[in-house]
PDB file of all heavy atoms in Angstrom:
ATOM      1  N   ARG U   1       7.092 -13.959 -18.522  1.00 47.00           N
ATOM      2  CA  ARG U   1       6.463 -12.895 -19.296  1.00 47.00           C
ATOM      3  C   ARG U   1       6.214 -11.663 -18.444  1.00 47.00           C
ATOM      4  O   ARG U   1       6.395 -10.540 -18.862  1.00 47.00           O
ATOM      5  CB  ARG U   1       5.133 -13.386 -19.901  1.00 47.00           C
ATOM      6  CG  ARG U   1       5.304 -14.193 -21.170  1.00 47.00           C
ATOM      7  CD  ARG U   1       4.036 -14.149 -22.006  1.00 47.00           C
ATOM      8  NE  ARG U   1       2.876 -14.633 -21.303  1.00 47.00           N
ATOM      9  CZ  ARG U   1       2.465 -15.900 -21.291  1.00 47.00           C
ATOM     10  NH1 ARG U   1       3.168 -16.818 -21.939  1.00 47.00           N
ATOM     11  NH2 ARG U   1       1.386 -16.257 -20.631  1.00 47.00           N
ATOM     12  N   LYS U   2       5.764 -11.888 -17.186  1.00 50.00           N
ATOM     13  CA  LYS U   2       5.507 -10.779 -16.274  1.00 50.00           C
ATOM     14  C   LYS U   2       6.782 -10.012 -15.973  1.00 50.00           C
ATOM     15  O   LYS U   2       6.798  -8.791 -15.928  1.00 50.00           O
ATOM     16  CB  LYS U   2       4.883 -11.297 -14.973  1.00 50.00           C
ATOM     17  CG  LYS U   2       3.398 -11.585 -15.097  1.00 50.00           C
ATOM     18  CD  LYS U   2       2.823 -12.004 -13.767  1.00 50.00           C
ATOM     19  CE  LYS U   2       1.317 -12.222 -13.876  1.00 50.00           C
ATOM     20  NZ  LYS U   2       0.741 -12.662 -12.587  1.00 50.00           N
ATOM     21  N   LYS U   3       7.895 -10.770 -15.745  1.00 53.00           N
ATOM     22  CA  LYS U   3       9.172 -10.123 -15.470  1.00 53.00           C
ATOM     23  C   LYS U   3       9.605  -9.278 -16.658  1.00 53.00           C
ATOM     24  O   LYS U   3      10.065  -8.152 -16.515  1.00 53.00           O
ATOM     25  CB  LYS U   3      10.244 -11.166 -15.150  1.00 53.00           C
ATOM     26  CG  LYS U   3      10.119 -11.763 -13.748  1.00 53.00           C
ATOM     27  CD  LYS U   3      11.219 -12.762 -13.493  1.00 53.00           C
ATOM     28  CE  LYS U   3      11.089 -13.372 -12.091  1.00 53.00           C
ATOM     29  NZ  LYS U   3      12.131 -14.381 -11.849  1.00 53.00           N
ATOM     30  N   LYS U   4       9.434  -9.855 -17.875  1.00 48.00           N
ATOM     31  CA  LYS U   4       9.806  -9.129 -19.082  1.00 48.00           C
ATOM     32  C   LYS U   4       8.932  -7.890 -19.246  1.00 48.00           C
ATOM     33  O   LYS U   4       9.405  -6.817 -19.595  1.00 48.00           O
ATOM     34  CB  LYS U   4       9.646 -10.044 -20.304  1.00 48.00           C
ATOM     35  CG  LYS U   4      10.140  -9.418 -21.613  1.00 48.00           C
ATOM     36  CD  LYS U   4      10.019 -10.398 -22.758  1.00 48.00           C
ATOM     37  CE  LYS U   4      10.623  -9.833 -24.029  1.00 48.00           C
ATOM     38  NZ  LYS U   4       9.975  -8.626 -24.500  1.00 48.00           N
ATOM     39  N   LYS U   5       7.632  -8.058 -18.948  1.00 54.00           N
ATOM     40  CA  LYS U   5       6.692  -6.936 -19.071  1.00 54.00           C
ATOM     41  C   LYS U   5       7.062  -5.816 -18.107  1.00 54.00           C
ATOM     42  O   LYS U   5       7.045  -4.646 -18.452  1.00 54.00           O
ATOM     43  CB  LYS U   5       5.269  -7.440 -18.797  1.00 54.00           C
ATOM     44  CG  LYS U   5       4.189  -6.525 -19.356  1.00 54.00           C
ATOM     45  CD  LYS U   5       2.835  -7.190 -19.260  1.00 54.00           C
ATOM     46  CE  LYS U   5       1.762  -6.310 -19.896  1.00 54.00           C
ATOM     47  NZ  LYS U   5       0.429  -6.902 -19.787  1.00 54.00           N
ATOM     48  N   GLN U   6       7.410  -6.192 -16.861  1.00 56.00           N
ATOM     49  CA  GLN U   6       7.814  -5.187 -15.881  1.00 56.00           C
ATOM     50  C   GLN U   6       9.096  -4.491 -16.319  1.00 56.00           C
ATOM     51  O   GLN U   6       9.254  -3.294 -16.147  1.00 56.00           O
ATOM     52  CB  GLN U   6       8.009  -5.840 -14.503  1.00 56.00           C
ATOM     53  CG  GLN U   6       6.725  -6.251 -13.814  1.00 56.00           C
ATOM     54  CD  GLN U   6       5.945  -5.068 -13.291  1.00 56.00           C
ATOM     55  OE1 GLN U   6       6.405  -3.938 -13.362  1.00 56.00           O
ATOM     56  NE2 GLN U   6       4.763  -5.320 -12.771  1.00 56.00           N
ATOM     57  N   LYS U   7      10.011  -5.296 -16.899  1.00 59.00           N
ATOM     58  CA  LYS U   7      11.294  -4.741 -17.351  1.00 59.00           C
ATOM     59  C   LYS U   7      11.064  -3.747 -18.487  1.00 59.00           C
ATOM     60  O   LYS U   7      11.730  -2.711 -18.578  1.00 59.00           O
ATOM     61  CB  LYS U   7      12.214  -5.879 -17.811  1.00 59.00           C
ATOM     62  CG  LYS U   7      13.621  -5.428 -18.163  1.00 59.00           C
ATOM     63  CD  LYS U   7      14.463  -6.603 -18.584  1.00 59.00           C
ATOM     64  CE  LYS U   7      15.869  -6.159 -18.971  1.00 59.00           C
ATOM     65  NZ  LYS U   7      16.702  -7.296 -19.419  1.00 59.00           N
ATOM     66  N   ASP U   8      10.117  -4.072 -19.390  1.00 69.00           N
ATOM     67  CA  ASP U   8       9.836  -3.221 -20.540  1.00 69.00           C
ATOM     68  C   ASP U   8       8.799  -2.144 -20.224  1.00 69.00           C
ATOM     69  O   ASP U   8       8.382  -1.414 -21.106  1.00 69.00           O
ATOM     70  CB  ASP U   8       9.316  -4.075 -21.709  1.00 69.00           C
ATOM     71  CG  ASP U   8      10.367  -5.089 -22.173  1.00 69.00           C
ATOM     72  OD1 ASP U   8      11.552  -4.848 -21.914  1.00 69.00           O
ATOM     73  OD2 ASP U   8       9.980  -6.100 -22.773  1.00 69.00           O
ATOM     74  N   TYR U   9       8.387  -2.063 -18.978  1.00 76.00           N
ATOM     75  CA  TYR U   9       7.310  -1.164 -18.571  1.00 76.00           C
ATOM     76  C   TYR U   9       7.682   0.292 -18.798  1.00 76.00           C
ATOM     77  O   TYR U   9       8.600   0.808 -18.188  1.00 76.00           O
ATOM     78  CB  TYR U   9       6.997  -1.440 -17.093  1.00 76.00           C
ATOM     79  CG  TYR U   9       6.111  -0.436 -16.389  1.00 76.00           C
ATOM     80  CD1 TYR U   9       4.936   0.010 -16.953  1.00 76.00           C
ATOM     81  CD2 TYR U   9       6.447   0.030 -15.117  1.00 76.00           C
ATOM     82  CE1 TYR U   9       4.116   0.918 -16.292  1.00 76.00           C
ATOM     83  CE2 TYR U   9       5.632   0.922 -14.436  1.00 76.00           C
ATOM     84  CZ  TYR U   9       4.470   1.368 -15.035  1.00 76.00           C
ATOM     85  OH  TYR U   9       3.652   2.251 -14.375  1.00 76.00           O
ATOM     86  N   GLN U  10       6.970   0.924 -19.714  1.00 90.00           N
ATOM     87  CA  GLN U  10       7.192   2.334 -20.013  1.00 90.00           C
ATOM     88  C   GLN U  10       5.883   3.097 -19.786  1.00 90.00           C
ATOM     89  O   GLN U  10       4.956   2.995 -20.596  1.00 90.00           O
ATOM     90  CB  GLN U  10       7.644   2.507 -21.466  1.00 90.00           C
ATOM     91  CG  GLN U  10       9.042   1.984 -21.760  1.00 90.00           C
ATOM     92  CD  GLN U  10      10.118   2.818 -21.100  1.00 90.00           C
ATOM     93  OE1 GLN U  10       9.942   4.009 -20.881  1.00 90.00           O
ATOM     94  NE2 GLN U  10      11.243   2.213 -20.793  1.00 90.00           N
ATOM     95  N   PRO U  11       5.761   3.842 -18.690  1.00 92.00           N
ATOM     96  CA  PRO U  11       4.530   4.579 -18.433  1.00 92.00           C
ATOM     97  C   PRO U  11       4.220   5.562 -19.565  1.00 92.00           C
ATOM     98  O   PRO U  11       5.123   6.196 -20.105  1.00 92.00           O
ATOM     99  CB  PRO U  11       4.824   5.332 -17.131  1.00 92.00           C
ATOM    100  CG  PRO U  11       5.930   4.559 -16.483  1.00 92.00           C
ATOM    101  CD  PRO U  11       6.755   4.041 -17.615  1.00 92.00           C
ATOM    102  N   ASN U  12       2.960   5.659 -19.934  1.00 93.00           N
ATOM    103  CA  ASN U  12       2.545   6.618 -20.964  1.00 93.00           C
ATOM    104  C   ASN U  12       1.303   7.416 -20.548  1.00 93.00           C
ATOM    105  O   ASN U  12       0.847   8.280 -21.288  1.00 93.00           O
ATOM    106  CB  ASN U  12       2.314   5.917 -22.304  1.00 93.00           C
ATOM    107  CG  ASN U  12       1.215   4.872 -22.227  1.00 93.00           C
ATOM    108  OD1 ASN U  12       0.849   4.419 -21.141  1.00 93.00           O
ATOM    109  ND2 ASN U  12       0.692   4.467 -23.367  1.00 93.00           N
ATOM    110  N   TYR U  13       0.768   7.099 -19.369  1.00 95.00           N
ATOM    111  CA  TYR U  13      -0.349   7.846 -18.798  1.00 95.00           C
ATOM    112  C   TYR U  13      -0.045   8.124 -17.326  1.00 95.00           C
ATOM    113  O   TYR U  13       0.816   7.463 -16.738  1.00 95.00           O
ATOM    114  CB  TYR U  13      -1.670   7.063 -18.901  1.00 95.00           C
ATOM    115  CG  TYR U  13      -2.363   7.195 -20.234  1.00 95.00           C
ATOM    116  CD1 TYR U  13      -1.919   6.469 -21.344  1.00 95.00           C
ATOM    117  CD2 TYR U  13      -3.462   8.036 -20.393  1.00 95.00           C
ATOM    118  CE1 TYR U  13      -2.554   6.590 -22.579  1.00 95.00           C
ATOM    119  CE2 TYR U  13      -4.103   8.161 -21.629  1.00 95.00           C
ATOM    120  CZ  TYR U  13      -3.648   7.436 -22.701  1.00 95.00           C
ATOM    121  OH  TYR U  13      -4.271   7.568 -23.914  1.00 95.00           O
ATOM    122  N   PHE U  14      -0.745   9.102 -16.757  1.00 95.00           N
ATOM    123  CA  PHE U  14      -0.517   9.389 -15.340  1.00 95.00           C
ATOM    124  C   PHE U  14      -1.744  10.061 -14.731  1.00 95.00           C
ATOM    125  O   PHE U  14      -2.567  10.659 -15.444  1.00 95.00           O
ATOM    126  CB  PHE U  14       0.727  10.277 -15.155  1.00 95.00           C
ATOM    127  CG  PHE U  14       0.636  11.632 -15.803  1.00 95.00           C
ATOM    128  CD1 PHE U  14       0.314  12.769 -15.056  1.00 95.00           C
ATOM    129  CD2 PHE U  14       0.895  11.800 -17.159  1.00 95.00           C
ATOM    130  CE1 PHE U  14       0.246  14.022 -15.644  1.00 95.00           C
ATOM    131  CE2 PHE U  14       0.827  13.047 -17.763  1.00 95.00           C
ATOM    132  CZ  PHE U  14       0.506  14.162 -16.996  1.00 95.00           C
ATOM    133  N   LEU U  15      -1.867   9.926 -13.421  1.00 96.00           N
ATOM    134  CA  LEU U  15      -2.879  10.656 -12.676  1.00 96.00           C
ATOM    135  C   LEU U  15      -2.229  11.914 -12.129  1.00 96.00           C
ATOM    136  O   LEU U  15      -1.132  11.851 -11.568  1.00 96.00           O
ATOM    137  CB  LEU U  15      -3.407   9.818 -11.501  1.00 96.00           C
ATOM    138  CG  LEU U  15      -4.226   8.571 -11.822  1.00 96.00           C
ATOM    139  CD1 LEU U  15      -4.724   7.935 -10.518  1.00 96.00           C
ATOM    140  CD2 LEU U  15      -5.391   8.883 -12.740  1.00 96.00           C
ATOM    141  N   SER U  16      -2.897  13.048 -12.287  1.00 95.00           N
ATOM    142  CA  SER U  16      -2.299  14.298 -11.815  1.00 95.00           C
ATOM    143  C   SER U  16      -3.296  15.120 -11.018  1.00 95.00           C
ATOM    144  O   SER U  16      -4.508  15.051 -11.246  1.00 95.00           O
ATOM    145  CB  SER U  16      -1.776  15.115 -12.988  1.00 95.00           C
ATOM    146  OG  SER U  16      -2.846  15.753 -13.669  1.00 95.00           O
ATOM    147  N   ILE U  17      -2.751  15.877 -10.087  1.00 96.00           N
ATOM    148  CA  ILE U  17      -3.525  16.881  -9.357  1.00 96.00           C
ATOM    149  C   ILE U  17      -3.196  18.221 -10.010  1.00 96.00           C
ATOM    150  O   ILE U  17      -2.059  18.702  -9.903  1.00 96.00           O
ATOM    151  CB  ILE U  17      -3.143  16.902  -7.867  1.00 96.00           C
ATOM    152  CG1 ILE U  17      -3.418  15.540  -7.221  1.00 96.00           C
ATOM    153  CG2 ILE U  17      -3.882  18.018  -7.139  1.00 96.00           C
ATOM    154  CD1 ILE U  17      -2.892  15.419  -5.796  1.00 96.00           C
ATOM    155  N   PRO U  18      -4.134  18.835 -10.722  1.00 95.00           N
ATOM    156  CA  PRO U  18      -3.837  20.114 -11.394  1.00 95.00           C
ATOM    157  C   PRO U  18      -3.609  21.234 -10.385  1.00 95.00           C
ATOM    158  O   PRO U  18      -4.292  21.311  -9.364  1.00 95.00           O
ATOM    159  CB  PRO U  18      -5.097  20.374 -12.233  1.00 95.00           C
ATOM    160  CG  PRO U  18      -6.173  19.602 -11.544  1.00 95.00           C
ATOM    161  CD  PRO U  18      -5.528  18.393 -10.943  1.00 95.00           C
ATOM    162  N   ILE U  19      -2.625  22.073 -10.682  1.00 96.00           N
ATOM    163  CA  ILE U  19      -2.326  23.230  -9.828  1.00 96.00           C
ATOM    164  C   ILE U  19      -2.879  24.462 -10.529  1.00 96.00           C
ATOM    165  O   ILE U  19      -2.390  24.873 -11.581  1.00 96.00           O
ATOM    166  CB  ILE U  19      -0.802  23.370  -9.593  1.00 96.00           C
ATOM    167  CG1 ILE U  19      -0.231  22.067  -9.016  1.00 96.00           C
ATOM    168  CG2 ILE U  19      -0.516  24.550  -8.677  1.00 96.00           C
ATOM    169  CD1 ILE U  19      -0.835  21.620  -7.702  1.00 96.00           C
ATOM    170  N   THR U  20      -3.914  25.062  -9.912  1.00 94.00           N
ATOM    171  CA  THR U  20      -4.612  26.164 -10.559  1.00 94.00           C
ATOM    172  C   THR U  20      -4.591  27.467  -9.755  1.00 94.00           C
ATOM    173  O   THR U  20      -5.026  28.504 -10.261  1.00 94.00           O
ATOM    174  CB  THR U  20      -6.082  25.769 -10.813  1.00 94.00           C
ATOM    175  OG1 THR U  20      -6.689  25.416  -9.563  1.00 94.00           O
ATOM    176  CG2 THR U  20      -6.173  24.572 -11.753  1.00 94.00           C
ATOM    177  N   ASN U  21      -4.101  27.421  -8.516  1.00 96.00           N
ATOM    178  CA  ASN U  21      -4.032  28.632  -7.691  1.00 96.00           C
ATOM    179  C   ASN U  21      -3.124  29.649  -8.381  1.00 96.00           C
ATOM    180  O   ASN U  21      -1.938  29.387  -8.613  1.00 96.00           O
ATOM    181  CB  ASN U  21      -3.485  28.276  -6.307  1.00 96.00           C
ATOM    182  CG  ASN U  21      -3.450  29.465  -5.373  1.00 96.00           C
ATOM    183  OD1 ASN U  21      -3.408  30.623  -5.788  1.00 96.00           O
ATOM    184  ND2 ASN U  21      -3.455  29.198  -4.084  1.00 96.00           N
ATOM    185  N   LYS U  22      -3.671  30.807  -8.707  1.00 96.00           N
ATOM    186  CA  LYS U  22      -2.919  31.807  -9.472  1.00 96.00           C
ATOM    187  C   LYS U  22      -1.691  32.325  -8.718  1.00 96.00           C
ATOM    188  O   LYS U  22      -0.714  32.755  -9.332  1.00 96.00           O
ATOM    189  CB  LYS U  22      -3.838  32.965  -9.867  1.00 96.00           C
ATOM    190  CG  LYS U  22      -4.918  32.562 -10.856  1.00 96.00           C
ATOM    191  CD  LYS U  22      -5.676  33.766 -11.373  1.00 96.00           C
ATOM    192  CE  LYS U  22      -6.797  33.352 -12.322  1.00 96.00           C
ATOM    193  NZ  LYS U  22      -6.304  32.614 -13.496  1.00 96.00           N
ATOM    194  N   LYS U  23      -1.752  32.285  -7.403  1.00 96.00           N
ATOM    195  CA  LYS U  23      -0.591  32.714  -6.622  1.00 96.00           C
ATOM    196  C   LYS U  23       0.582  31.750  -6.862  1.00 96.00           C
ATOM    197  O   LYS U  23       1.733  32.176  -7.027  1.00 96.00           O
ATOM    198  CB  LYS U  23      -0.926  32.765  -5.130  1.00 96.00           C
ATOM    199  CG  LYS U  23       0.241  33.243  -4.273  1.00 96.00           C
ATOM    200  CD  LYS U  23      -0.111  33.279  -2.793  1.00 96.00           C
ATOM    201  CE  LYS U  23       1.100  33.725  -1.966  1.00 96.00           C
ATOM    202  NZ  LYS U  23       0.804  33.715  -0.510  1.00 96.00           N
ATOM    203  N   ILE U  24       0.280  30.447  -6.896  1.00 96.00           N
ATOM    204  CA  ILE U  24       1.332  29.444  -7.130  1.00 96.00           C
ATOM    205  C   ILE U  24       1.843  29.537  -8.555  1.00 96.00           C
ATOM    206  O   ILE U  24       3.057  29.622  -8.787  1.00 96.00           O
ATOM    207  CB  ILE U  24       0.801  28.027  -6.851  1.00 96.00           C
ATOM    208  CG1 ILE U  24       0.393  27.874  -5.388  1.00 96.00           C
ATOM    209  CG2 ILE U  24       1.869  26.981  -7.199  1.00 96.00           C
ATOM    210  CD1 ILE U  24      -0.245  26.537  -5.053  1.00 96.00           C
TER     211      ILE U  24
END
């Protein structure tokens, strides 16, 4: 089941570092 779960693993969330520097 774990192997199948890993195989079917589709990310739908993520951790992000927002880029807010106006120069960038």
Side-chain angles (χ1 to χ4, degrees):
R1 279 204 302 270
K2 281 184 177 179
K3 284 181 181 178
K4 186 177 185 298
K5 200 170 183 182
Q6 288 287 355
K7 186 179 179 181
D8 297 338
Y9 168 48
Q10 290 291 331
N12 61 342
Y13 277 78
F14 62 100
L15 292 183
S16 77
I17 300 172
I19 305 301
T20 57
N21 183 336
K22 293 188 182 300
K23 182 180 178 182
I24 297 175

